[in-house]
Amino acid sequence: MLGRRGAIPTAIYRLAGAGERTMAYVLCPVEAGVESPIAGVERLDAGEGAVAGALTLADGSRHAFICRPRAGEATFGDFSTDAEVAFVELRADGTVGRSFLYGGNELRPAD
């Protein structure tokens, strides 16, 4: 595939196995010669059917998320929610930055 500036990188994903499978990907385009802002990726346990994880960035901040097929109480990392989808940014100093949720009403620190 060619664009105005040459070839366009295209990711192709495959998963094989029996039964239902769930996948999550982190896509972070980085220019040649520039270091990735992502220092680490961690899967978080959040119960059956949920996809949850945390990204640690080079600046020390951390982004945690959960996505699941239905609402109801769930814990992911240091947070709990009743939402189908939730995201929270923890700044390097430990304060909460941006956050959002979809299909629920609460996002709070886990007990």
Side-chain angles (χ1 to χ4, degrees):
M1 182 180 270
L2 291 178
R4 290 185 302 155
R5 297 180 185 213
I8 298 172
T10 304
I12 299 172
Y13 306 99
R14 291 192 177 106
L15 177 68
E20 185 175 321
R21 297 284 184 248
T22 304
M23 300 184 305
Y25 297 95
V26 176
L27 301 176
C28 180
V30 178
E31 290 183 51
V34 175
E35 194 143 338
S36 172
I38 299 174
V41 178
E42 174 187 1
R43 180 184 176 272
L44 299 177
D45 185 31
E48 189 173 333
V51 174
L55 306 176
T56 302
L57 303 183
D59 67 4
S61 65
R62 185 172 159 96
H63 296 183
F65 68 91
I66 184 171
C67 181
R68 54 212 184 109
R70 62 197 149 280
E73 193 62 31
T75 298
F76 63 108
D78 297 331
F79 294 90
S80 292
T81 187
D82 65 347
E84 293 174 57
V85 177
F87 165 87
V88 62
E89 171 192 27
L90 285 174
R91 296 180 182 124
D93 65 6
T95 60
V96 174
R98 299 168 293 174
S99 64
F100 72 82
L101 50 96
Y102 169 81
N105 298 305
E106 289 190 83
L107 177 62
R108 62 188 176 287
D111 296 330

